[in-house]
Amino acid sequence: MTDAGAARKRPTGLGRGLSALLGEAGREEPIAPAGDRSTGVRFLAVSELEPHPEQPRRHFDEDALDELARSIEARGLIQPIVVRPHEGRYQIVAGERRWRAAQRAQLHQVPVIVREFDEAETLELALVENIQREDLNAIEEAEAYRKLIDRFGHSQEALGRIVHKSRSHIANLLRLLDLPAAVRTMVADTRLSMGHARALITAIDPEGLANQVVERGLSVRETERLAQGARPAASRAASVPRERDADVAALERQLGDILGLKVKIAYAKGTGSVTLGFSSLDQLDLICQRLTGERI
């Protein structure tokens, strides 16, 4: 069996959640002495850690890093970084942002949790950890889903269960990868939102329209109208729904993008209801946390 085939058939257990695989950072574990390379919790020199070369997160907000560094200076690094032994050093599996901020805070040592992961598990956990923590922009998240599908054979439904997102949310993000590179860059650096990008996917000249959207500061709905107006007349006639339905559909998409869940809006004569779909108790708990504003 090839390495790729073995990875596809390997039961990862990711559906149990990251805490089950990485260990709870808050639980008590023995602190290993310096120089001990056994697994467990310990303090390591910042210089002994290195990022994973395929870390899905490529854009680190400088202001956010400075804010985290100030917090670390004042309170220390509360949550350990998860690492694995790798070629005489330690490779970061989860927590590169904390490691970067610790460097800015001029820490010499940081707390880490050492776990033995193979290469496939390391990449898979790095992708899922970033997605679950909502640390990625829309393009980074889409690329992470694509890697999980291509390398590990996950279906969109299986991914939804692992990262607590709806299948439609994952499908919509994957469609963003069909956009030209220049438009994907605009989404990655937040000049365009995911809603803007989705409106441009079926446009004849998405890059040209994207430039107009940025220059004119158009809203998502204005972008949808702009993209629709750029289609051939026959295509517009076949695709234009009733005006009210279009507005409701746009709101459903926007809420679905924000929550990562299937959203259905029923509206008539000024009143209506909003229905949020979930496929597991974990996903229901996620909805409750988001609605109450609790940290996920």
Side-chain angles (χ1 to χ4, degrees):
M1 181 181 294
T2 64
D3 292 342
R8 288 178 183 276
K9 294 181 179 297
R10 173 177 52 83
T12 64
L14 284 176
R16 294 178 292 149
L18 284 173
S19 61
L21 286 173
L22 300 181
E24 296 292 345
R27 75 181 183 185
E28 293 187 1
E29 294 194 38
I31 305 297
D36 185 350
R37 294 185 64 82
S38 62
T39 60
V41 179
R42 72 190 61 191
F43 280 87
L44 291 177
V46 171
S47 59
E48 289 189 75
L49 275 57
E50 61 184 12
H52 193 285
E54 294 193 63
Q55 148 76 271
R57 187 175 189 179
R58 300 173 185 173
H59 301 273
F60 292 86
D61 184 275
E62 295 297 320
D63 292 337
L65 276 178
D66 287 338
E67 182 179 353
L68 181 56
R70 289 192 293 270
S71 175
I72 291 173
E73 286 178 342
R75 303 178 181 85
L77 187 58
I78 298 173
Q79 185 176 7
I81 298 168
V82 180
V83 301
R84 68 161 181 159
H86 181 68
E87 298 181 354
R89 292 166 60 81
Y90 292 90
Q91 191 175 75
I92 298 171
V93 177
E96 182 177 337
R97 181 171 174 269
R98 277 167 275 149
W99 175 67
R100 288 173 177 262
Q103 290 177 302
R104 295 193 180 198
Q106 298 185 337
L107 295 189
H108 298 294
Q109 291 186 321
V110 290
V112 302
I113 297 175
V114 181
R115 292 284 185 268
E116 292 284 355
F117 294 123
D118 63 27
E119 189 64 31
E121 288 172 328
T122 299
L123 175 59
E124 194 168 12
L125 286 167
L127 292 170
V128 175
E129 190 262 352
N130 276 277
I131 292 169
Q132 287 189 340
R133 294 181 185 275
E134 301 183 345
D135 283 344
L136 306 179
N137 63 52
I139 296 300
E140 290 172 333
E141 187 177 348
E143 290 173 341
Y145 290 140
R146 175 52 59 199
K147 285 182 179 179
L148 286 169
I149 290 171
D150 291 346
R151 296 196 181 191
F152 305 106
H154 292 305
S155 67
Q156 292 181 10
E157 289 78 8
L159 278 180
R161 290 191 295 271
I162 291 170
V163 300
H164 303 298
K165 303 282 188 179
S166 68
R167 189 207 61 78
S168 60
H169 174 78
I170 294 171
N172 286 330
L173 276 169
L174 288 172
R175 293 181 67 204
L176 299 183
L177 300 181
D178 294 331
L179 288 165
V183 181
R184 297 199 303 271
T185 298
M186 293 181 195
V187 178
D189 62 21
T190 70
R191 282 179 289 168
L192 291 176
S193 70
M194 179 177 170
H196 288 109
R198 285 180 57 186
L200 297 172
I201 288 174
T202 58
I204 295 177
D205 180 18
E207 185 173 345
L209 294 180
N211 288 327
Q212 290 187 50
V213 170
V214 173
E215 291 171 3
R216 296 164 58 184
L218 300 181
S219 68
V220 172
R221 294 194 186 184
E222 288 171 332
T223 302
E224 289 175 341
R225 287 193 286 269
L226 179 67
Q228 193 173 65
R231 297 174 190 165
S235 174
R236 291 200 304 270
S239 62
V240 174
R242 292 178 299 169
E243 183 177 356
R244 187 197 67 80
D245 289 343
D247 290 340
V248 171
L251 287 172
E252 286 178 342
R253 289 194 298 271
Q254 290 172 25
L255 283 174
D257 291 343
I258 292 170
L259 297 173
L261 300 165
K262 183 176 179 58
V263 176
K264 180 67 176 178
I265 298 176
Y267 173 83
K269 297 181 179 180
T271 63
S273 62
V274 178
T275 303
L276 305 179
F278 62 91
S279 58
S280 68
L281 291 178
D282 285 342
Q283 204 168 43
L284 176 59
D285 182 59
L286 186 73
I287 295 172
C288 294
Q289 291 182 51
R290 288 179 173 172
L291 291 177
T292 58
E294 295 180 13
R295 182 178 178 84
I296 300 173

